[in-house]
Amino acid sequence: MAADYDLKVWRVNVRTQTVTKEPVPASWERLGGRGLLARILLDESEPTCEPLGPKNKLVFAPGLLVGHMLSASDRLSVGAKSPLSGGFRESNSGGSTGLHMTSMGIKALILEDKPSDAAFWTLYLSLREIRWKRADDIVGMGVYEAAPRLLAEYGNKVAISLLGPGGENQLGTAGIQNLDKERIPGRINARGGLGAVMGSKRLKAIVFDDEGGQKPPIKDPVGFKKAQKAYTQAVLAHPVSHTYRDYGTAANVLVCNALGALPTRNFSSGTFEQAEAVSGEHLRELILKRGGESNTSHACMAGCTIRCSNIFGGDDGKMIVSPLEYETIGLLGPNLGIADLDVIGRMNWEINDIGLDTIDVGAALGVACDAGLMKWGDSERAMELIGEIRRNTPIGRILGMGATTAGKVLGIERVPATKGIAMSAYDPRAIKGTGVTFATSTQGGDHTSGLTLRAKIDHRDPKGQVAASRTAQINIAGYDTLGACIMSGFGYATSPDAVRDLLNTRYGWNMGDDALQVLGKETIRLEREFNRRAGFTKAHDRMPEWMTREALPPYNVVFDVPQDEMDDIFSDLD
């Protein structure tokens, strides 16, 4: 590596307000992103600690391939012990934070301890100086108001990771928002309550200023360029890349509806009678018709060639929200009986502004419907309840803590969650491989741990689902360690040498053809060991019992993958 590129671990003690820069331990060098989080937390955290207490650590880590504008491969992973699951939790996002960290030579940023008072702070990090500032002027603000103020103060070229009021209030659904290339704080490390952990550290925002930084050096520039070209061509040539460029992830609305897996009215049905009205096709029509700030193909990270994000504007051409994703549409739309994309978009904006996970909030609202707190399709009441969350009222706190807490308090059994994490918008009774992922992954009900939607398998047949989930989970753990978006998998799948060649030419390593699987297996092994030390057993790898007996219309399927098969899914890694 170049002599002037100084790769370090930056360690922040939020109680003493000190920052130290340390050499990268040898056992951390070949990991990044999600894999590095797991290694650090296993090495340094107490798995039995209180998630919002001083012993939990919040870690930011760019992936191994971040920093080179490699398409869909500049993602940031953030991790800690989750206040929702009580186990390991990683959440990754696009935006600019990962790029800035890599340019600054930050292998990992570790936040530790807990302040003794209740004041919130902004932490400014640059290669020239480190500053702490009381955040009194932006405490209580939503992210869409706070981010411009921070940019005005620190300059328009910085990256920012910040909390909304939900994180300040340590709600279980709170995430950490990051800026996209237009400087809009719409890229969120959403799942598992990591914003609550940051709130417990009393940080409203972290500002990353990479002025004076540089791209990380490449051991073999010629070889890297060749590997990058082959990978990019594979991404561009894959037909699914074109589908997502045109329709975004909202393309999955009609796909899941056809499979009978679109969560409808709190997962009581797998099809929605007005699915066309919230489909990716209709979303594209609206965006093209309205023009203005609307954009059907938007990159959440600079340099991405897939551009599966979008900017959804209203009739006036002004942005309602960016992005509007399938999982958000599913949980805030059909799951609540709502069939209006404008309404869903505005709910999405409100939840983003509070700094929360739209999936878990949408699932909590579905539970609220079953409990009689709102009627199906009542968007006005849904907005009122979101307002309760913003105001931190008792009912707002119940919903803001997520679907699992809402179900316990409101006395509802039909809670679509595993390991305390609400399920994404894929009903596991109709896409059973993803159900295996929801049950057995360390991350709980998160599709990004191993979605099997495109596996060549009969999704309603219990046979073969464990193998499909295992493959998906290992591959995704590998991508998360690289800092690669799930969408990049289309390129890597058709350019199988890409991961090996990119890593070897970037670092001078000698990894084999199974480089992705090696990284994925090691990541899952570390996560499972953390959870084991935290008290998890095979009894935690279970689907909610009601899903094993309550048949899902229209195909009347239950979740019936044999438990003994799921128990053995990673027996070779334990």
Side-chain angles (χ1 to χ4, degrees):
M1 293 195 173
D4 55 349
Y5 186 78
D6 190 21
L7 188 64
K8 298 287 188 183
V9 174
W10 291 32
R11 189 180 299 275
V12 178
N13 187 299
V14 296
R15 179 178 56 83
T16 61
Q17 296 194 342
T18 55
V19 179
T20 57
K21 301 177 185 179
E22 305 169 358
V24 179
S27 61
W28 298 5
E29 289 178 353
R30 291 197 172 212
L31 292 170
R34 178 174 159 188
L36 181 56
L37 299 179
R39 179 76 272 171
I40 291 173
L41 291 173
L42 192 58
D43 286 350
E44 296 197 352
S45 285
E46 295 183 19
T48 56
C49 72
E50 164 56 48
L52 300 182
K55 293 182 179 180
N56 199 11
K57 299 192 179 188
L58 183 66
V59 185
F60 291 63
L64 287 169
L65 293 177
V66 172
H68 303 285
M69 297 291 187
L70 187 66
S71 181
S73 298
D74 280 320
R75 294 182 75 80
L76 168 73
S77 286
V78 180
K81 180 175 180 176
S82 168
L84 285 183
S85 72
F88 174 84
R89 181 68 231 182
E90 180 264 2
S91 180
N92 64 70
S93 73
S96 55
T97 302
L99 275 170
H100 274 247
M101 289 181 66
T102 304
S103 177
M104 295 168 69
I106 304 176
K107 175 75 169 178
L109 178 71
I110 304 174
L111 307 178
E112 52 192 20
D113 214 330
K114 183 174 181 176
S116 55
D117 61 35
F120 274 87
W121 296 80
T122 295
L123 172 60
Y124 171 81
L125 301 174
S126 78
L127 296 173
R128 303 176 308 281
E129 64 174 323
I130 293 165
R131 298 201 305 265
W132 297 80
K133 180 188 174 185
R134 285 277 294 248
D136 299 354
D137 57 330
I138 55 173
V139 167
M141 278 186 189
V143 299
Y144 293 115
E145 183 179 2
R149 293 205 182 193
L150 290 166
L151 289 169
E153 180 172 357
Y154 294 102
N156 203 48
K157 294 183 178 181
V158 301
I160 303 173
S161 296
L162 75 157
L163 300 181
E168 296 171 28
N169 295 327
Q170 297 178 40
L171 295 178
T173 61
I176 301 167
Q177 310 277 135
N178 302 279
L179 304 180
D180 66 13
K181 59 189 180 65
E182 284 80 27
R183 330 307 294 151
I184 296 169
R187 306 297 156 178
I188 181 170
N189 299 97
R191 311 231 57 203
L194 299 179
V197 179
M198 185 164 158
S200 75
K201 307 296 184 190
R202 297 295 189 268
L203 285 173
K204 173 69 173 179
I206 306 172
V207 178
F208 299 88
D209 186 346
D210 71 346
E211 184 179 353
Q214 61 176 290
K215 284 187 176 182
I218 297 172
K219 194 73 172 179
D220 176 4
V222 174
F224 187 86
K225 186 175 182 180
K226 180 180 178 181
Q228 182 175 12
K229 181 179 180 181
Y231 160 71
T232 303
Q233 288 177 340
V235 170
L236 292 172
H238 200 287
V240 180
S241 293
H242 295 278
T243 298
Y244 280 119
R245 185 176 305 124
D246 287 343
Y247 301 104
T249 59
N252 288 341
V253 171
L254 294 185
V255 173
C256 288
N257 197 61
L259 290 171
L262 180 63
T264 301
R265 297 180 179 86
N266 193 26
F267 286 69
S268 64
S269 174
T271 56
F272 184 48
E273 65 278 7
Q274 299 182 74
E276 292 278 355
V278 295
S279 66
E281 290 77 1
H282 186 53
L283 177 63
R284 177 176 171 82
E285 289 174 7
L286 287 176
I287 290 173
L288 292 174
K289 176 183 176 182
R290 290 172 175 179
E293 296 176 0
S294 298
N295 188 346
T296 60
S297 301
H298 176 251
C300 78
M301 297 173 285
C304 180
T305 58
I306 301 174
R307 305 194 307 278
C308 70
S309 180
N310 57 60
I311 300 174
F312 179 49
D315 287 329
D316 59 359
K318 299 295 184 181
M319 183 187 77
I320 293 176
V321 73
S322 176
L324 185 55
E325 302 277 13
Y326 165 67
E327 289 75 23
T328 298
I329 292 172
L331 269 300
L332 296 179
N335 185 56
L336 306 181
I338 293 173
D340 187 326
L341 286 172
D342 284 345
V343 168
I344 296 168
R346 290 187 171 88
M347 291 169 65
N348 190 169
W349 188 96
E350 289 288 337
I351 295 168
N352 280 1
D353 194 47
I354 305 169
L356 305 178
D357 172 17
T358 55
I359 293 174
D360 222 316
V361 171
L365 290 173
V367 171
C369 287
D370 261 349
L373 293 183
M374 64 174 277
K375 296 179 180 179
W376 302 115
D378 188 347
S379 58
E380 289 187 12
R381 179 59 177 159
M383 288 292 278
E384 288 176 1
L385 290 174
I386 294 170
E388 297 276 355
I389 300 174
R390 183 186 289 273
R391 292 191 298 278
N392 205 33
T393 65
I395 189 60
R397 284 199 65 83
I398 291 167
L399 298 175
M401 292 303 293
T404 298
T405 294
K408 290 177 180 178
V409 175
L410 300 175
I412 300 300
E413 182 187 15
R414 192 193 293 133
V415 177
T418 53
K419 294 184 173 74
I421 309 291
M423 295 177 187
S424 307
Y426 307 88
D427 196 298
R429 290 165 289 182
I431 305 178
K432 294 182 180 181
T434 298
V436 174
T437 297
F438 288 166
T440 63
S441 88
T442 57
Q443 310 272 17
D446 188 346
H447 69 291
T448 67
S449 293
L451 181 62
T452 63
L453 177 64
R454 299 192 179 278
K456 305 300 182 183
I457 195 170
D458 180 349
H459 294 294
R460 294 190 290 274
D461 186 339
K463 297 184 180 67
Q465 304 297 342
V466 171
S469 173
R470 174 186 163 91
T471 297
Q473 287 193 59
I474 290 171
N475 286 343
I476 291 299
Y479 294 144
D480 290 344
T481 299
L482 296 175
C485 174
I486 292 176
M487 304 303 173
S488 68
F490 304 131
Y492 289 123
T494 51
S495 181
D497 298 335
V499 173
R500 178 200 68 194
D501 293 346
L502 287 166
L503 287 173
N504 290 344
T505 57
R506 162 70 175 84
Y507 291 99
W509 296 344
N510 188 31
M511 299 194 77
D513 296 344
D514 60 347
L516 182 68
Q517 286 72 38
V518 168
L519 291 173
K521 288 179 180 179
E522 176 64 3
T523 298
I524 290 173
R525 185 188 70 79
L526 293 169
E527 293 175 359
R528 287 176 67 83
E529 178 60 18
F530 183 94
N531 278 6
R532 186 189 68 78
R533 295 184 190 180
F536 282 63
T537 68
K538 290 181 179 180
H540 291 85
D541 293 344
R542 299 291 186 264
M543 191 61 60
E545 188 176 311
W546 63 270
M547 283 191 165
T548 68
R549 66 171 191 268
E550 185 175 308
L552 177 70
Y555 298 108
N556 296 319
V557 286
V558 296
F559 187 80
D560 54 359
V561 178
Q563 191 61 55
D564 58 346
E565 289 185 28
M566 293 201 293
D567 285 346
D568 289 337
I569 186 170
F570 293 121
S571 57
D572 59 320
L573 303 182
D574 295 335

